[in-house]
Amino acid sequence: MFLAISRFSVANETDAAVREAFRARPHKVDEAPGFVRMTVANPTDDPKEFWLLTYWRDEASFEAWHRSHAFHDAHHGMPRGLKLDPAATRLLRLAVIAE
Ligand code: HEM
């Protein structure tokens, strides 16, 4: 199993709108080959930081989706006026060892 973690930090007052956008997400990724599940979380002491964990059968499945138009389609519901702190944006690639 492969785990991709997208971490970003909202630099303005749109964090509540981002939470709502995730709760109302389009679920298009659910049809992507090799997609397993995803979790979106905020650190308990920082509601402006987002950790988006997506689990995949393997790294190739993630890369295929991440390079495809489906990745862009998945972000059509991005809240207007969203500003990110570029220094806090990270994409981590991890091999799951045990669950
Ligand atoms: C750093 C910039 C990013 C921001 C601000 C961001 C924000 C968002 C938001 C607001 C949504 C909900 C979109 C909607 O409702 O249409 C979303 C969906 C999603 N994002 Fe991102 N995202 C970012 C990067 C990434 C990256 C790097 C990945 C891959 C690891 C990713 C994977 C996803 C997935 C899987 C969904 C769900 C799509 C669905 O339900 O079909 N995002 N993202």
Side-chain angles (χ1 to χ4, degrees):
M1 182 111 76
F2 175 77
L3 170 59
I5 300 180
S6 170
R7 188 201 65 195
F8 59 87
S9 195
V10 174
N12 61 6
E13 302 315 310
T14 55
D15 51 304
V18 171
R19 263 183 293 284
E20 280 323 303
F22 276 120
R23 289 187 180 119
R25 71 180 180 89
H27 288 269
K28 287 188 186 142
V29 71
D30 304 21
E31 292 135 34
F35 174 80
V36 177
R37 66 177 190 276
M38 65 182 276
T39 302
V40 186
N42 290 128
T44 50
D45 61 354
D46 185 358
K48 286 184 177 296
E49 188 175 290
F50 287 79
W51 290 68
L52 170 51
L53 285 67
T54 58
Y55 290 80
W56 301 80
R57 183 181 53 223
D58 50 38
E59 185 165 10
S61 302
F62 168 70
E63 296 300 347
W65 175 79
H66 194 220
R67 277 198 306 268
S68 75
H69 68 81
F71 174 74
H72 301 286
D73 293 352
H75 290 90
H76 279 161
M78 201 70 92
R80 286 182 184 289
L82 172 62
K83 283 213 174 12
L84 297 180
D85 169 4
T89 301
R90 280 289 302 281
L91 177 57
L92 302 162
R93 292 173 164 82
L94 302 106
V96 176
I97 304 300
E99 289 208 290

